[in-house]
Amino acid sequence: MDEVTGAQLIAESLKTQKVEYMFGIVGVPVIEVAMAAQAAGIKYVGMRNEQAACYAASAIGYLTGRPGACLVVSGPGLIHALGGMANANMNCWPVVVIGGSSDQNQETAGAFQEFPQVEACRLYSKFSARPSSLEVIPSVVEKAVRTSMYGRPGACYVDIAGDMVNARVDRSKVRVVSCCPTPPVSLADHRAIAEAISVLKAAKRPLVIIGKGAAYGRAETALKELVEMSGLPFLPTPMGKGVLPDDHPKCVAAARSRALLQADVVLLLGARLNWILHFGLPPRFDPDVKIIQVDLCAEEIGNNVKPAVALLGDINAIVTQLLEGVRKDGWKYPSDTEWWSTLSDKIAANAKISKALALQSAVPMNYYTVFHHVSQLLPHDCIIVSEGANTMDIGRTMLNNYLPRHRLDAGTFGTMGVGLGFAIAAAALERSENKGQRIVCVEGDSAFGFSGMEVETMCRYNLPVVIIVVNNNGIYSGVDPDTWKTMAKMGDLTSIAPPVTLLPEARYDEVMTAFGGRGFLVRTVEELRSALQLSLSDWERPSLLNVLIDPSSDRKQQKVERKGDLNDPDSRSSKARPD
Ligand code: ADP
Ligand code: MG
């Protein structure tokens, strides 16, 4: 008799479904699952917190189009992973979480780490189930992987009871399930395509918005042709950056507010009209704007704004359909319009303000100086991971992306703590694909703290990630060391220290050196440049640059073009997230 265990069946089924990476933390009852995964040829990365493990697994999903797996223990292990599942689901990224749970015969008896795991995951996933027997494990795993990728991508959960992990079954009794193919592609209705083209042609102030759905949908080649053939201005969302290069002549990111406010027709490609795009509503959009909405999720169509034309289907296929329509009569939006001059004027004016700030070399440095020098040194093909408030918002405008799926950030859910997990996933992929790409993780000091112990993971696997902590001693802002000392003398810090403060000049660089990586304490432009150059040339181990900036450094003051309020910063974040 050829017997297999539950652990082997889980591992082999994942491998059959072409799940190549597993991130997790082992313990009772899932150690055997991780070992079986390695035996089946899946790469296993042991992490330090299940949240970061789940972030990493979901980044694999976004970067490759097939989910990574996240392996967790029962109760608290699974609960920690819920943050990662929620984040993946909000981002529409595929991920499969495998959770061990208590033995079936102890359920309801107060077993070790007993928790209603399948129910708990339902709110954070598209599919949540426990195989009823060993024999059906391959079908349930296939369904989880397929569901995570088909339709709108998202998180799926498979539960495995502790007693099932080492239980055995005769292999001949187990259902053989083959690998589910990549999702079938659907096209938009050809009448709707014709309608969309006529709306575009009639536009006076057209704008293409490129979202992370376009990046996930690998629409870059068709989209480049569409933009170049039609001459339309485009604006990427944060993770839509790089689908077309940020320095493309048709990119109007530097005139974002004006482009959104004054556009009369928006071709919305794989982006939701949620908070990131100010809901598509006044005061940030024209109340009469015509939206041509492209999405594969029918339930998304019409959210917040009723579209003038709805194009339901796969973004790459639909962009190709639009391209055929435009190509037919060679239509092109002229480049000498008033719309183009109004956008170009704004781009030039904004560049001037940023440049003045960037060229300051006072110590402590400001955000603009830091990002100016970082952007000069980063290779064009590097993957930029970024989180924080000002760190992420200012970094997004100053650090260019030139390639699709090369930016990972706090995303739709605005989650802090994702950075290190994302970077580990990107670095693990880089290791097997060997494209020579650097992974650079730009973190606020608060954001870094949420998953900071993952530097040990990076050191353990020798993942050459470069972490830049933009350290302003706090959340949004901090205080300098002298002020902190004075405050400490004045009384109990828990009563008087501003809640936004963190330890001034904390030595995050020493966290990295503690595990054998390279750490740099950086105060000046010269130190920043030399530390970054050294780090980028070291392929053997991770580095961390602890860049001390002015704790009161802030965004440049901007007049926002919106009806009503002229002083609101043109920020997608407002101040909802820590730095
Ligand atoms: P952003 O954060 O860039 O605004 P969102 O995550 O809000 O992007 O929106 C991405 C949208 O793209 C989602 O509504 C999702 O359903 C959609 N989407 C994902 N993949 C595809 C695809 N292949 N084709 C069409 N739409 C897609
Ligand atoms: Mg900070």
Side-chain angles (χ1 to χ4, degrees):
M1 255 201 342
D2 180 14
E3 284 189 328
V4 273
T5 64
Q8 281 172 305
L9 283 171
I10 293 264
E12 290 171 12
S13 307
L14 286 169
K15 182 69 182 172
T16 301
Q17 297 307 323
K18 297 212 171 85
V19 171
E20 304 294 345
Y21 292 88
M22 180 181 274
F23 301 83
I25 300 185
V26 295
V28 176
V30 298
I31 298 177
E32 290 84 353
V33 178
M35 288 166 57
Q38 285 181 318
I42 293 174
K43 297 187 171 75
Y44 177 80
V45 180
M47 306 279 289
R48 302 306 302 263
N49 185 294
E50 292 88 351
Q51 241 177 45
C54 198
Y55 298 145
S58 70
I60 293 285
Y62 176 61
L63 294 171
T64 69
R66 268 196 114 78
C70 172
L71 180 70
V72 300
V73 298
S74 42
L78 185 269
I79 289 169
H80 292 164
L82 292 179
M85 291 177 75
N87 188 68
N89 236 20
M90 294 286 180
N91 273 348
C92 315
W93 291 0
V95 67
V96 173
V97 177
I98 310 285
S101 55
S102 25
D103 290 359
Q104 293 170 92
N105 64 0
Q106 294 177 354
E107 265 168 27
T108 74
F112 174 64
Q113 298 184 333
E114 184 182 343
F115 192 70
Q117 300 186 179
V118 173
E119 283 140 271
C121 287
R122 222 156 253 151
L123 201 53
Y124 307 92
S125 65
K126 298 176 71 184
F127 170 77
S128 179
R130 169 193 285 187
S132 57
S133 67
L134 296 190
E135 288 85 340
V136 300
I137 284 177
S139 331
V140 175
V141 169
E142 186 270 348
K143 180 156 179 168
V145 170
R146 179 164 41 84
T147 308
S148 78
M149 300 188 298
Y150 282 33
R152 171 181 270 173
C156 291
Y157 177 66
V158 177
D159 193 82
I160 170 119
D163 53 312
M164 289 172 82
V165 170
N166 290 316
R168 289 170 179 277
V169 64
D170 186 352
R171 206 183 264 280
S172 64
K173 296 214 176 86
V174 179
R175 219 179 121 188
V176 176
V177 180
S178 63
C179 179
C180 74
T182 51
V185 168
S186 55
L187 287 95
D189 177 4
H190 65 274
R191 282 163 307 190
I193 293 283
E195 176 68 15
I197 289 175
S198 73
V199 171
L200 270 178
K201 284 183 178 171
K204 289 205 167 61
R205 296 178 304 281
L207 178 67
V208 178
I209 296 181
I210 302 178
K212 66 176 171 304
Y216 181 77
R218 293 177 148 64
E220 53 266 17
T221 310
L223 202 45
K224 181 167 188 287
E225 211 179 331
L226 180 68
V227 163
E228 290 176 0
M229 186 163 290
S230 66
L232 293 168
F234 75 88
L235 174 75
T237 66
M239 275 193 262
K241 268 163 67 72
V243 172
L244 297 187
D246 280 334
D247 64 350
H248 192 287
K250 300 295 175 198
C251 178
V252 296
R256 182 177 189 270
S257 298
R258 183 171 289 188
L260 293 181
L261 179 64
Q262 295 184 12
D264 64 347
V265 170
V266 167
L267 174 59
L268 184 69
L269 297 169
R272 283 167 283 184
L273 292 175
N274 57 14
W275 65 278
I276 292 183
L277 286 171
H278 317 287
F279 313 103
L281 293 170
R284 305 300 294 269
F285 278 74
D286 186 314
D288 299 320
V289 64
K290 290 193 170 119
I291 307 274
I292 302 167
Q293 188 174 9
V294 179
D295 207 294
L296 55 53
C297 174
E299 289 88 340
E300 186 58 39
I301 304 287
N303 274 340
N304 296 324
V305 179
K306 182 179 160 200
V309 187
L311 301 178
L312 182 67
D314 176 70
I315 195 155
N316 188 36
I318 291 174
V319 170
T320 309
Q321 285 180 289
L322 289 170
L323 191 57
E324 279 162 16
V326 170
R327 205 185 271 135
K328 234 183 246 161
D329 59 4
W331 172 79
K332 189 166 184 142
Y333 179 74
S335 56
D336 57 355
T337 56
E338 213 175 294
W339 181 225
W340 264 119
S341 18
T342 196
L343 293 170
S344 309
D345 290 352
K346 189 70 191 172
I347 291 170
N350 278 345
K352 216 164 147 191
I353 305 174
S354 302
K355 194 161 181 202
L357 284 159
L359 294 179
Q360 291 177 5
S361 56
V363 174
M365 293 181 282
N366 67 42
Y367 285 105
Y368 294 86
T369 309
V370 172
F371 290 129
H372 172 70
H373 292 281
V374 169
S375 76
Q376 283 190 338
L377 295 174
L378 291 188
H380 278 200
D381 65 349
C382 76
I383 293 193
I384 300 175
V385 181
S386 182
E387 56 178 336
N390 280 331
T391 300
M392 184 168 73
D393 285 341
I394 302 172
R396 187 180 65 251
T397 64
M398 295 188 65
L399 302 177
N400 276 356
N401 288 95
Y402 301 90
L403 294 165
R405 298 170 295 282
H406 278 54
R407 178 183 168 86
L408 298 160
D409 69 20
T412 306
F413 209 21
T415 311
M416 291 301 135
V418 292
L420 277 71
F422 286 175
I424 287 168
L429 266 182
E430 162 56 31
R431 168 146 303 160
S432 60
E433 293 175 358
N434 222 345
K435 291 187 189 154
Q437 276 172 346
R438 297 307 316 231
I439 318 296
V440 180
C441 201
V442 186
E443 301 270 318
D445 54 327
S446 165
F448 173 75
F450 287 88
S451 302
M453 192 50 76
E454 299 301 340
V455 296
E456 188 276 328
T457 311
M458 293 176 182
C459 288
R460 185 163 16 106
Y461 293 105
N462 287 324
L463 299 174
V465 175
V466 179
I467 302 176
I468 302 172
V469 177
V470 183
N471 187 354
N472 68 346
N473 304 342
I475 302 169
Y476 311 133
S477 65
V479 298
D480 58 58
D482 289 339
T483 313
W484 185 255
K485 274 184 211 136
T486 313
M487 259 187 330
K489 284 191 198 125
M490 281 162 56
D492 182 352
L493 284 169
T494 57
S495 303
I496 57 174
V500 292
T501 50
L502 295 169
L503 183 71
E505 303 197 349
R507 296 298 302 272
Y508 299 111
D509 46 312
E510 293 186 354
V511 177
M512 182 59 94
T513 51
F515 301 114
R518 298 174 80 141
F520 300 89
L521 184 66
V522 168
R523 289 178 194 272
T524 64
V525 166
E526 294 69 37
E527 287 167 355
L528 174 63
R529 292 187 74 96
S530 86
L532 187 53
Q533 274 162 335
L534 280 171
S535 306
L536 287 170
S537 60
D538 191 340
W539 284 88
E540 301 301 315
R541 56 192 166 146
S543 318
L544 189 150
L545 281 63
N546 183 11
V547 183
L548 303 181
I549 63 160
D550 181 350
S552 59
S553 175
D554 208 343
R555 289 173 67 81
K556 68 178 152 77
Q557 286 303 304
Q558 279 189 334
K559 247 192 7 187
V560 162
E561 303 191 20
R562 56 186 256 181
K563 291 173 182 138
D565 176 3
L566 289 180
N567 281 321
D568 199 45
D570 178 26
S571 158
R572 81 184 183 99
S573 80
S574 71
K575 286 283 179 186
R577 295 183 308 273
D579 223 350

